[in-house]
Amino acid sequence: MQLQIGSKWSLRRGVVTVMATNFCPANNNGISGEVYCCAKCNFDLHKSCFDAPRELEHGGHPQHTLKLLSKTPYSSGKVMCNGCGKENKGFDYHCASCKYDLHLDCAHLPKVMSRDDHQHTLTLYYSLPHSSYCGEEYCAVCRYAIDDVGSMAVANANFGVTLIVFLVKQHLHGQT
């Protein structure tokens, strides 16, 4: 099956069984599993990234619809994810009115998550009213102030971690 995206790429669907050295430009993760690829220019895109909705209603920014962009809308060339607080070097869900941005991965996180080093499930919060979650102002793992790292975190009644700590832990243990 071949798929034309604009006039730039003619992508063919395939499966990569071993982690390739190429990285998906949408989420900057290594290429594996189902992909769309262009043999002419060595462009590979995860099937899940290709299938990502072009517009998204998100609980982290309920005021406006976020639009999926393949390039930064900012003249600086940099995009900071409002969810995890890290630079986004891939595709971006963007609100032009509010300058709100989310990584593809941050935009599609489940509302309830777990960590292998904590026995209870954790809830994803889009903003952090301290009285409604663990009551701690600092990440239980990295000890950074939770509000300083990004607007999203995961927590329950007695444990809170910044979103980036949660994501790094999941990535290092192959759970993403």
Side-chain angles (χ1 to χ4, degrees):
M1 178 181 153
Q2 227 175 354
L3 189 62
Q4 191 75 27
I5 299 180
S7 59
K8 191 169 184 177
W9 297 298
S10 179
L11 301 178
R12 187 176 304 269
R13 189 170 173 181
V15 175
V16 176
T17 56
V18 179
M19 182 74 77
T21 55
N22 292 2
F23 288 86
C24 175
N27 66 8
N28 283 301
N29 292 329
I31 292 291
S32 64
E34 289 189 77
V35 297
Y36 283 98
C37 40
C38 176
K40 292 179 184 176
C41 65
N42 209 24
F43 177 88
D44 299 316
L45 192 65
H46 292 116
K47 180 184 181 309
S48 60
C49 294
F50 179 83
D51 292 338
R54 302 308 187 247
E55 292 188 349
L56 183 68
E57 302 291 330
H58 194 272
H61 190 70
Q63 305 89 324
H64 302 108
T65 300
L66 302 176
K67 297 194 184 306
L68 183 61
L69 304 178
S70 61
K71 295 181 181 176
T72 177
Y74 304 109
S75 59
S76 68
K78 292 186 177 190
V79 176
M80 300 305 286
C81 177
N82 288 95
C84 68
K86 294 290 183 183
E87 184 177 352
N88 183 2
K89 296 180 180 176
F91 289 12
D92 176 43
Y93 278 108
H94 175 73
C95 173
S97 301
C98 302
K99 309 292 188 249
Y100 185 88
D101 299 279
L102 286 177
H103 288 108
L104 238 61
D105 291 343
C106 289
H108 296 290
L109 288 170
K111 185 70 175 152
V112 177
M113 301 179 240
S114 61
R115 283 176 56 104
D116 57 3
D117 63 349
H118 188 74
Q119 71 255 25
H120 302 110
T121 58
L122 301 168
T123 301
L124 178 66
Y125 286 91
Y126 300 120
S127 61
L128 297 169
H130 291 294
S131 61
S132 71
Y133 71 108
C134 65
E136 294 291 324
E137 293 183 28
Y138 299 95
C139 175
V141 176
C142 71
R143 304 307 299 162
Y144 278 103
I146 290 177
D147 286 343
D148 291 345
V149 181
S151 65
M152 292 169 26
V154 289
N156 66 20
N158 60 6
F159 182 84
V161 294
T162 60
L163 184 61
I164 193 64
V165 164
F166 181 83
L167 294 174
V168 167
K169 178 91 173 163
Q170 295 296 92
H171 181 71
L172 291 175
H173 289 88
Q175 298 173 7
T176 56

